[in-house]
Amino acid sequence: MATRTGREYLRVSKGKGKTARSISDQHRDNLAAEKDHGPWGWGEPYKDTGSASKFATKARDDFERLPADLTSGAFGEPDDVLVLWEISRLARETGRGVALIDAAEAGGYRIHVTSLDRTFTPRNYGDRHSLISGTNDAEKEARLLSVRTLRGVNSAVDEGRPHGKIPFGYRRTYELIDGRPRPVSQEAVPDEGPLVELFERVAGWNGRKRESVRAVALDWERRGIRSRETGVVLSRQYLVQMLRRKAYIGIRVHGGTERPGNWKALVEPELFEAVQRVLTDPTRKTHTGTQIKHVLTGVLRCDTCGGTVSVKPGGRAYDGRLVYRCFRYDHFTIDKAEVDRLLIGDLDADPPQLGVILAYLSAPHRHAALSRRPEPGSDEEAKRAELATLKDELEELEAAPRPKTARARLQRTADMEELETDIARLESELAKLTEPDPLADILPSDPEADLVQWWTAADITTRRAVAALLLSPEVLGAVRIKRVADSASPDVTDRIRWVDADGAAT
């Protein structure tokens, strides 16, 4: 028997942690199928970790290459085989699936579906009907999943059931609802009692001395208190997130709305509010700034090697003044004061001379644009609420116990893929809307404020954050410092190269 070439189409969505699921499983099953339906010589596979749904917005490179190869003949010789794990791997929209089946028929190729244990010939009317019916069924199931998901989310909200990641200090009870394990309640875990201690120590409650979150984090690390799921040390950032979760006072937050949950609170509301006042206190210092001494060292880069920049005293050529140098290879040395004067300004001059950063921020229309927020009832607000709902549903599904049967595991995988598809769609739509600029949370709220005075009074961490946001490829451009030999002149303006998001000079 002549040996045909089999080329696999391996498609999965990306699950939690952005790790592709089941490609190796599909490949193993496809290899086993070759023993019964081959012999096949294996060609280069097509791999795709995007969604097959009609709502998907992320480009699927290998999926776009597959029909092009089938049409042009680059796929292989007639009678070569496209190997799929199941028909739904190909497309969740009937029209796209039919177009691919047509391309395979025109090129004389076969399609093997491993889960059906069958090789189809698209030019055969019966096989063609079966393939199109399978694609149509996949689209139907995807749409039914969307309906079930919305119904389940609404039911969970009405009943106050827990959702999302399991909070530290709780454990959950699951029941089978609509064929899927769903969380129905949660209760305190006895051996995670330090949770209440965390709130009391940060608030200085019940006669305790008020402590910083970092101090508690270091103490917990010494005492061996770890994350239940992963066993890793609980960082300061993780503890801050815990301190802000209203789940600990029995409140279910979902889609921007709050309502009582069906579980017992671990922290009394008065203690929770005391902690929030501590966290939002504008005088509270979250960083001493002792390790950060210069504004621009975190954003400047060497144009030769792309490496970071350090500050050192210059030699006799600079009369001992500070210089920026290529940290790793010493590719360049440049006067720090001249670079700072160009990018920040000479604020001691009379009047102050504004550099690139402060001149950019001083435009009145730009300050107004930075202050924009989503309006209540707007399309953006609705999309963000829907996105939060879908993410919560996906987290519930990921946190649920592993199904015992193969059919249930396949269904859960399909459910997760569809949720990921809808999440990607909403994130893409939101990205097209005008989002609040990160600078809006840093700059003074008064558009008439004196930016020079504000900059001078701001701590080093704030000034560095502003510099990093502006001196980026997406805004003003990334700053690369060239060697004198690579520059038109030793002047600082000739030794700086501005790079945009496409890597081009600007």
Side-chain angles (χ1 to χ4, degrees), residues 149-171:
T149 298
L150 182 59
R151 183 177 66 244
V153 169
N154 290 338
S155 175
V157 170
D158 292 339
E159 297 174 13
R161 298 200 303 264
H163 68 99
K165 293 182 179 179
I166 304 176
F168 181 89
Y170 283 102
R171 60 188 175 197

Side-chain angles (χ1 to χ4, degrees), residues 63-212:
F63 177 77
E64 301 303 332
R65 184 165 64 93
L66 174 58
D69 287 355
L70 291 171
T71 302
S72 66
F75 179 84
E77 299 296 327
D79 282 337
D80 281 349
V81 185
L82 172 63
V83 182
L84 309 173
W85 188 57
E86 62 178 13
I87 193 65
S88 65
R89 299 286 95 180
L90 195 58
R92 295 276 177 85
E93 184 187 11
T94 304
R96 302 186 78 180
V98 171
L100 194 142
I101 294 168
D102 287 342
E105 178 183 3
Y109 304 117
R110 302 172 186 267
I111 298 177
H112 178 84
V113 182
T114 297
S115 62
L116 298 178
D117 195 29
R118 181 175 171 186
T119 302
F120 296 87
T121 303
R123 61 176 175 268
N124 178 282
Y125 72 92
D127 286 358
R128 176 184 172 84
H129 174 77
S130 297
L131 289 169
I132 294 176
S133 296
T135 304
N136 192 32
D137 289 343
E139 179 179 6
K140 176 184 176 182
E141 287 300 319
R143 293 179 180 271
L144 284 174
L145 173 62
S146 296
V147 174
R148 292 197 302 269
T149 298
L150 182 59
R151 183 177 66 244
V153 169
N154 290 338
S155 175
V157 170
D158 292 339
E159 297 174 13
R161 298 200 303 264
H163 68 99
K165 293 182 179 179
I166 304 176
F168 181 89
Y170 283 102
R171 60 188 175 197
R172 284 189 179 159
T173 301
Y174 292 82
E175 290 183 4
L176 202 63
I177 301 176
D178 292 335
R180 287 200 331 222
R182 295 180 182 271
V184 293
S185 63
Q186 60 187 17
E187 60 183 6
V189 177
D191 59 357
E192 289 185 359
L195 175 70
V196 178
E197 170 198 316
L198 166 66
F199 281 82
E200 291 183 346
R201 293 173 67 175
V202 172
W205 204 257
N206 287 338
R208 291 179 180 270
K209 179 182 177 181
R210 181 183 292 183
E211 300 178 63
S212 68

Side-chain angles (χ1 to χ4, degrees), residues 14-35:
K14 287 184 177 179
K16 190 174 184 180
K18 301 300 181 186
T19 302
R21 297 189 303 270
S22 79
I23 274 188
S24 59
D25 293 339
Q26 293 178 46
H27 179 61
R28 183 183 61 250
D29 293 346
N30 292 339
L31 289 178
E34 187 265 341
K35 297 178 181 178

Side-chain angles (χ1 to χ4, degrees), residues 146-390:
S146 296
V147 174
R148 292 197 302 269
T149 298
L150 182 59
R151 183 177 66 244
V153 169
N154 290 338
S155 175
V157 170
D158 292 339
E159 297 174 13
R161 298 200 303 264
H163 68 99
K165 293 182 179 179
I166 304 176
F168 181 89
Y170 283 102
R171 60 188 175 197
R172 284 189 179 159
T173 301
Y174 292 82
E175 290 183 4
L176 202 63
I177 301 176
D178 292 335
R180 287 200 331 222
R182 295 180 182 271
V184 293
S185 63
Q186 60 187 17
E187 60 183 6
V189 177
D191 59 357
E192 289 185 359
L195 175 70
V196 178
E197 170 198 316
L198 166 66
F199 281 82
E200 291 183 346
R201 293 173 67 175
V202 172
W205 204 257
N206 287 338
R208 291 179 180 270
K209 179 182 177 181
R210 181 183 292 183
E211 300 178 63
S212 68
V213 181
R214 178 173 176 78
V216 178
L218 292 174
D219 179 51
W220 280 20
E221 181 178 357
R222 287 192 295 268
R223 291 162 55 187
I225 300 175
R226 301 287 191 268
S227 166
R228 179 180 57 250
E229 296 86 357
T230 60
V232 300
V233 172
L234 301 175
S235 66
R236 185 192 69 83
Q237 293 82 359
Y238 187 91
L239 295 188
V240 170
Q241 293 177 4
M242 288 171 55
L243 291 167
R244 296 186 186 278
R245 293 197 70 170
K246 292 189 176 182
Y248 293 120
I249 55 173
I251 299 297
R252 187 185 199 277
V253 181
H254 183 273
T257 62
E258 299 179 5
R259 64 179 63 199
N262 66 354
W263 60 89
K264 182 180 179 180
L266 292 183
V267 178
E268 55 187 289
E270 293 79 10
L271 173 56
F272 183 85
E273 291 302 324
V275 170
Q276 305 317 301
R277 288 193 294 271
V278 172
L279 296 180
T280 56
D281 184 352
T283 63
R284 174 174 169 264
K285 293 188 69 174
T286 58
H287 195 286
T288 62
T290 55
Q291 295 179 353
I292 301 178
K293 298 181 179 180
H294 306 284
V295 174
L296 299 178
T297 48
V299 295
L300 303 178
R301 290 291 184 272
C302 174
D303 191 53
T304 304
C305 66
T308 56
V309 169
S310 63
V311 174
K312 297 181 179 181
R316 282 183 293 179
Y318 295 92
D319 294 328
R321 298 189 304 273
L322 294 178
V323 296
Y324 290 118
R325 298 183 67 179
C326 170
F327 176 73
R328 189 170 183 181
Y329 298 111
D330 284 340
H331 283 134
F332 74 85
T333 301
I334 191 169
D335 191 297
K336 178 181 182 296
E338 292 184 8
V339 176
D340 291 353
R341 191 177 300 115
L342 173 67
L343 298 180
I344 299 174
D346 185 356
L347 306 185
D348 294 327
D350 188 16
Q353 303 298 311
L354 303 185
V356 173
I357 292 175
L358 292 180
Y360 178 86
L361 294 176
S362 297
H365 68 281
R366 184 164 291 117
H367 191 287
L370 293 176
S371 303
R372 195 197 72 80
R373 289 290 187 273
E375 298 180 1
S378 65
D379 182 51
E380 179 178 351
E381 185 180 58
K383 289 183 183 297
R384 292 190 184 280
E386 183 182 358
L387 180 62
T389 297
L390 294 177

